[in-house]
Amino acid sequence: MAEAIKPLECNCAAIRQAARHVTRHYDQHMSQVGLRSSQFSVLTKLKRMGPLKINELAAAMGMDRTTLGRNVLPLEREGLVTIGKGTEDRRSKEVRLTKAGADKQRAGLKHWQAAQAAFEQSFGARRSAELRSLMGEVVASEFA
């Protein structure tokens, strides 16, 4: 029987473990405004890009539609986004940020900044920037 792969020798396991660890840190900060970090990211993306079709938003977030749905539906229930027919293609669904959503995003920004500052204090601004750059390269690569 082949020797078992040690978790930190597996790129996928190491990246997922780190992502869960970092997500818990950001979620702890974002909980003060009643958001998860993934929901805050959705609100921020919509604030920056404007209304987006579901597939466009999923692609912009690097998520599949079902994962996006788990993040968007609670935001819709809370009145932070609306999901309606697309303005260009009435068959498509479009996600829009509401005024309440923009207010919630603005309120969450200081908590996100605190989470970001704590991360960078721990790892250094330069290493943090290098990490983001490296992760961006992974996402942009065509290995998969």
Side-chain angles (χ1 to χ4, degrees), residues 2-141:
E3 184 179 327
I5 297 174
K6 294 178 185 174
L8 294 181
E9 289 178 0
C10 173
N11 296 317
C12 183
I15 290 168
R16 289 176 61 88
Q17 183 178 15
R20 286 189 296 270
H21 184 70
V22 171
T23 298
R24 276 191 300 273
H25 168 75
Y26 278 76
D27 281 350
Q28 186 176 19
H29 283 270
M30 299 312 302
S31 70
Q32 297 177 55
V33 291
L35 291 171
R36 292 191 324 258
S37 58
S38 54
Q39 293 170 323
F40 177 75
S41 295
V42 169
L43 297 177
T44 300
K45 188 67 70 176
L46 289 171
K47 184 174 182 180
R48 288 183 182 157
M49 299 181 77
L52 293 169
K53 293 177 188 167
I54 295 278
N55 288 338
E56 293 171 337
L57 181 56
M61 299 293 301
M63 297 178 172
D64 58 54
R65 280 182 62 125
T66 58
T67 302
L68 177 66
R70 284 193 301 272
N71 287 282
V72 169
L73 291 178
L75 296 175
E76 182 185 34
R77 279 193 304 270
E78 294 176 28
L80 305 177
V81 301
T82 59
I83 303 172
K85 293 184 179 183
T87 53
E88 295 172 15
D89 180 356
R90 305 293 288 166
R91 295 171 297 175
S92 67
K93 292 195 176 196
E94 195 170 77
V95 183
R96 295 177 172 276
L97 187 64
T98 64
K99 181 184 180 321
D103 292 345
K104 181 74 91 166
Q105 189 277 339
R106 201 170 18 264
L109 188 58
K110 70 179 179 181
H111 299 286
W112 176 86
Q113 289 169 332
Q116 187 83 349
F119 183 92
E120 291 193 2
Q121 181 179 356
S122 183
F123 290 95
R126 186 170 143 248
R127 285 177 64 206
S128 297
E130 289 169 353
L131 178 62
R132 289 190 303 273
S133 178
L134 182 59
M135 293 295 104
E137 289 177 35
V138 170
V139 170
S141 73

